Amino acid sequence: MQVLPGPSYTTELVMRLEERRRLSFGEWKVIEETVPTNELGSLADEFRRLLHPDDVVTYVVDRNVNYSNVCVSVCNFCAFYRKPGSPEGYVHDYESIFSKVEEMIELGGSGILMQGGLHPDLPFHYYTGLLSELKKRYGIHLHCFSPPEIDHLGKITGLGVEGVLRELRSAGLDSIPGGGGEILVDEIRRKRRTHCNSDEWLNVMRVAHSMGIPTTATMMFGYGETRDHRLIHLDRIRSLQDEQPGFVSFIPWTLQPDNTPLGKLYPDRIPADEYLRWLAIARLYLDNIPNLQVSWLTQGMETGRKGLHFGANDLGSTMIEENVISQAGANHIATEMMIRDAIAAEGFHPCKRKADYTRV
C-alpha cells in the first residue's frame, strides 16, 4: 500500500508554489495526490492575477474552417476523418472557403482557425495559394495547420518542417494551433494511433518558435492516460517553452467520445471537478506560458465560467463553425454576447483578441 507524505511536507510544497518556485516531477505527484481542488484553484487564481492584474478575460470570434476531412491517420478518438477514397471525403475549393470567411467577418470575426486531415495527394500549392488569397482578399489573422499537418507536409513534399513553415509564412501564415498534442507520451500515442510522435510534434513547435511564429499548446485528456502521463505532458510543454519560447497559450480539453472507436472503451466524460483541478494544475505548472484558455466547448459554459477562477484568463472562441469535436459529441454553442456576458458576470472585463492573443 502506498504511503502518502505527511501534511507538513505538502504544506511546504504549497508554500513553494505560493513563492513561485518550481517543483520537481515527484513533488508535483505529491501535490496532485494531496492538495484539495479548491486550494489548487485558489493558488492558480492568484497566479492568474499576478500575470493579468487588469482582470481582463479575452475571447476570440473566429471560424474553424476544415478544408478537408481526408486523412491517412486513423486516430481512434476522432469522428471527423475519412480515409482516402471514402465517398464521404471532401476537399473544399477556394470559393467555398471564401464564403465561410465572409460570413465570419459579417459576424465580427478577426480570423480563422484552419485545420484538416492529413491528405496524401493534395498539392502543396493548394495550401500556399489558399493562404495567399485569404490574406490578400481579407487581411485576416491566419491561425492554421496543426503540427501533425505540418509534419506530414514536410515529409510528403520533401521540404522538411522548416521549409514548409517558411513557405506557409511567406504565403500569409500568422500563427499555429496546438492541435494533435493530445498527450505527449508515445506509450499513449501509439495506442491511440496518433500520426506523429511526441518528438515530431514538439519539433514543429520548436522550429516555428525559432522562426518567430507564435503557437498555442493543447492537452486532450480523459482517454486512458494516467496521472503521470498528464504531468509528463505538462513538463514537456514547459521544457520546450524554456528552451525556445513561443507558446502564447495553453488549452486543456477533454475527450468527446461519441461516434469514436475509443468512446466504446471510455464512454464517460471527464467531470467538471476533475477538469477544473487539472486546469489549475496546468496554470501553476506552466509558469512560463502567459495565457490559459478554459474549454467551454467540451465542458459547457457553466464550467467555463468557473474556470476563470481556476487560473484561466481566456474563454476561447465563439466557434462560428466547428466540425471535429462537435462530431464527437461536443454540442455547446455560444454567441459573442453570451461570452461577453459570462465574462462580465464573473467579475472580469471582456476583451476580443486575435488567435495570437493580440487584443483587438
Side-chain angles (χ1 to χ4, degrees), residues 5-290:
S8 61
Y9 183 55
T10 299
T11 300
E12 177 192 336
L13 296 182
V14 169
M15 287 177 60
R16 285 166 58 188
L17 284 177
E18 291 173 335
E19 295 167 357
R20 312 300 166 211
R21 294 160 60 191
R22 286 188 173 180
L23 306 182
S24 69
F25 187 84
E27 290 167 340
W28 266 110
K29 292 201 289 187
V30 174
I31 289 289
E32 200 284 322
E33 288 168 353
T34 59
V35 179
T37 297
N38 284 340
E39 186 174 353
L40 286 171
S42 295
L43 289 167
D45 191 48
E46 290 174 9
F47 189 38
R48 187 269 315 158
R49 192 176 298 111
L50 179 68
L51 293 172
H52 305 281
D54 56 5
D55 279 341
V56 166
V57 167
T58 51
Y59 68 95
V60 65
V61 177
D62 64 2
R63 185 166 194 159
N64 194 339
V65 176
N66 299 116
Y67 59 89
S68 176
N69 66 345
V70 176
C71 190
V72 296
S73 187
V74 287
C75 302
N76 57 12
F77 51 79
C78 181
F80 172 71
Y81 78 90
R82 296 296 182 268
K83 293 180 181 179
S86 167
E88 296 178 337
Y90 71 81
V91 175
H92 285 312
D93 60 31
Y94 286 11
E95 290 301 325
S96 298
I97 294 175
F98 296 159
S99 295
K100 291 175 179 291
V101 169
E102 287 163 10
E103 290 173 0
M104 179 272 298
I105 291 172
E106 289 178 8
L107 292 170
S110 60
I112 59 168
L113 165 60
M114 187 163 65
Q115 300 179 107
L118 309 183
H119 199 296
D121 305 314
L122 204 56
F124 189 47
H125 63 75
Y126 170 90
Y127 304 88
T128 54
L130 179 56
L131 292 184
S132 179
E133 283 296 314
L134 288 170
K135 186 65 76 172
K136 181 171 64 176
R137 286 168 176 254
Y138 308 110
I140 55 174
H141 189 98
L142 300 176
H143 186 55
C144 307
F145 311 127
S146 64
E149 291 170 89
I150 293 168
D151 179 74
H152 172 72
L153 288 171
K155 290 170 180 173
I156 66 172
T157 63
L159 293 173
V161 168
E162 185 173 355
V164 163
L165 285 175
R166 188 181 301 113
E167 294 293 324
L168 293 176
R169 182 174 63 177
S170 294
L173 178 70
D174 293 302
S175 57
I176 297 173
E182 283 95 51
I183 294 291
L184 292 171
V185 179
D186 287 339
E187 175 189 355
I188 288 292
R189 297 177 79 82
R190 283 192 295 268
K191 291 178 182 178
R192 304 297 167 244
R193 302 202 292 271
T194 303
H195 176 73
C196 71
N197 64 32
S198 301
D199 286 344
E200 289 169 333
W201 191 96
L202 290 163
N203 179 60
V204 170
M205 296 314 210
R206 181 181 292 106
V207 173
H209 296 175
S210 73
M211 298 172 68
I213 302 172
T215 75
T216 59
T218 61
M219 178 172 76
M220 185 185 80
F221 60 106
Y223 66 129
E225 77 288 340
T226 66
R227 180 274 315 277
D228 286 6
H229 290 149
R230 297 178 188 178
L231 290 176
I232 290 170
H233 180 94
L234 295 177
D235 198 70
R236 299 202 76 180
I237 294 291
R238 188 179 72 180
S239 295
L240 177 55
Q241 184 76 341
D242 281 343
E243 172 197 341
Q244 189 72 67
F247 290 124
V248 295
S249 180
F250 182 73
I251 308 107
W253 57 285
T254 52
L255 172 71
Q256 301 302 292
D258 298 358
N259 306 314
T260 70
L262 198 60
K264 297 175 183 177
L265 293 175
Y266 304 102
D268 298 326
R269 286 171 164 78
I270 291 289
D273 285 352
E274 183 178 354
Y275 176 80
L276 292 170
R277 180 175 183 80
W278 281 91
L279 185 72
I281 289 172
R283 177 62 287 169
L284 295 165
Y285 207 117
L286 301 175
D287 56 6
N288 54 3
I289 296 180

